[in-house]
Amino acid sequence: MPSPGPIPLTRPPLGRGGRSSAETRYRELRHLAFQAAQDDLVAAGVNAELRAIDATALAAFGTWPARRVAWPWPEMTADWRRGHPDRFELAVWSGDALCALALGRPSPGASHMALYFMEGSPDPGHPLRRKVATVVITALRAYAIALGKGELRLVDPLPEVIPFYCSPAMGFELVRPRMEAPYCRRSI
Amino acid sequence: MKTLSRLDARPASAPAVKSPRQPERAAAAPPTLAEARQRLAAARGGSQPWLTPAAAEAPDDVPEVIGPETYRKV
């Protein structure tokens, strides 16, 4: 009787099921949306490259000097990858410079796409200085459109940034729901 | 005597009972790439232009940060 062969010591990869196929589909959707946003940015003279937060981005993040916030991006990215295949996950590059990182996620229905975390490079000489918000929101908007959402939200903004986002140039309005974090909203 | 289960007793017009363990998000299926392409193309050709990045630079004193002071798992 032939031997059944060695018993595999590891489980088959989590790759055949729904979670993996959702992860793949949303990765493709992000890529598509980021490509559209990047084309528009380049056409407008903004030399930004929009990518996922990969190991290269996290390594570059590790070299950022004194920061405004102490968010642990490697841990945050891992957390969000576990539960949110549809997440908005963005690393903004210009040449070899990592200019910003951002994380967000869509609402379950058609309502909105929310940005929860965005941090620009603290290097005052980075190539997209003062343009980070516009670049990230352009990418957020493209991904929201790709998923059929009707509104953008910036969740729990620092008080000192609210006047800028609620200015006519950016077009957001502030919402203060009871028992929840405030957010800035704008129709797509 | 036969007793009605909760499902049998539910009127046909009532919404289906959802398990509290079933996440709300599971119902939403991702769009196809073709649908997404179509939406992006329609948005670009629509009446509302994309942001004009050159016109929307943040003032020098505005931190390029959105989010709470400390990270909390969401």
Side-chain angles (χ1 to χ4, degrees), chain A residues 2-78:
Chain A
S3 160
I7 298 171
L9 297 177
T10 55
R11 291 181 179 185
L14 275 176
R16 301 277 171 85
R19 191 179 113 189
S20 176
S21 63
E23 181 69 38
T24 303
R25 172 70 66 79
Y26 282 111
R27 188 187 312 129
E28 291 169 346
L29 288 164
R30 281 191 295 272
H31 180 76
L32 181 70
F34 290 175
Q35 194 60 57
Q38 189 176 302
D39 290 349
D40 284 351
L41 287 164
V42 169
V46 179
N47 184 26
E49 194 178 336
L50 309 179
R51 300 189 212 159
I53 303 177
D54 56 11
T56 310
L58 293 176
F61 157 73
T63 68
W64 279 2
R67 299 159 57 208
R68 170 72 176 74
V69 285
W71 298 336
W73 282 98
E75 181 191 334
M76 290 159 65
T77 308

Side-chain angles (χ1 to χ4, degrees), chain A residues 154-175:
Chain A
L154 313 178
V155 179
D156 209 358
L158 297 170
E160 60 262 44
V161 308
I162 291 172
F164 168 62
Y165 289 103
C166 293
S167 66
M170 299 303 284
F172 286 84
E173 62 179 341
L174 182 64
V175 180

Side-chain angles (χ1 to χ4, degrees), chain B:
Chain B
M1 187 176 95
K2 187 183 173 189
T3 55
L4 290 175
S5 71
R6 281 175 61 196
L7 282 178
D8 290 337
R10 182 168 60 85
S13 59
V17 177
K18 269 190 192 170
S19 162
R21 293 188 180 184
Q22 184 183 347
E24 190 75 30
R25 306 170 61 79
T32 64
L33 288 177
E35 287 168 338
R37 272 194 200 96
Q38 203 168 20
R39 287 174 179 156
L40 285 164
R44 286 171 141 178
S47 57
Q48 286 191 302
W50 292 82
L51 280 173
T52 307
E57 288 192 1
D60 217 19
D61 58 345
V62 172
E64 293 183 314
V65 170
I66 289 174
E69 288 282 353
T70 55
Y71 171 61
R72 300 181 299 267
K73 283 188 184 183
V74 293

Side-chain angles (χ1 to χ4, degrees), chain A residues 116-188:
Chain A
Y116 281 80
F117 297 95
M118 180 196 86
E119 183 178 0
S121 166
D123 177 357
H126 79 77
L128 297 178
R129 182 168 154 71
R130 299 174 57 190
K131 293 179 180 168
V132 159
T134 297
V135 170
V136 171
I137 289 169
T138 301
L140 186 77
R141 181 174 184 264
Y143 188 45
I145 289 168
L147 297 194
K149 308 298 177 184
E151 180 178 303
L152 303 182
R153 293 186 183 180
L154 313 178
V155 179
D156 209 358
L158 297 170
E160 60 262 44
V161 308
I162 291 172
F164 168 62
Y165 289 103
C166 293
S167 66
M170 299 303 284
F172 286 84
E173 62 179 341
L174 182 64
V175 180
R176 293 183 186 277
R178 288 176 61 191
M179 312 293 288
E180 282 180 44
Y183 61 88
C184 297
R185 66 161 296 280
R186 195 188 84 183
S187 297
I188 293 286

Side-chain angles (χ1 to χ4, degrees), chain A residues 50-115:
Chain A
L50 309 179
R51 300 189 212 159
I53 303 177
D54 56 11
T56 310
L58 293 176
F61 157 73
T63 68
W64 279 2
R67 299 159 57 208
R68 170 72 176 74
V69 285
W71 298 336
W73 282 98
E75 181 191 334
M76 290 159 65
T77 308
D79 285 347
W80 282 61
R81 282 184 182 162
R82 272 193 286 275
H84 306 292
D86 53 357
R87 69 194 171 276
F88 173 78
E89 175 198 314
L90 175 66
V92 179
W93 292 84
S94 185
D96 290 338
L98 175 68
C99 299
L101 296 170
L103 280 172
R105 69 176 185 211
S107 59
S111 162
H112 64 268
M113 176 69 67
L115 181 65

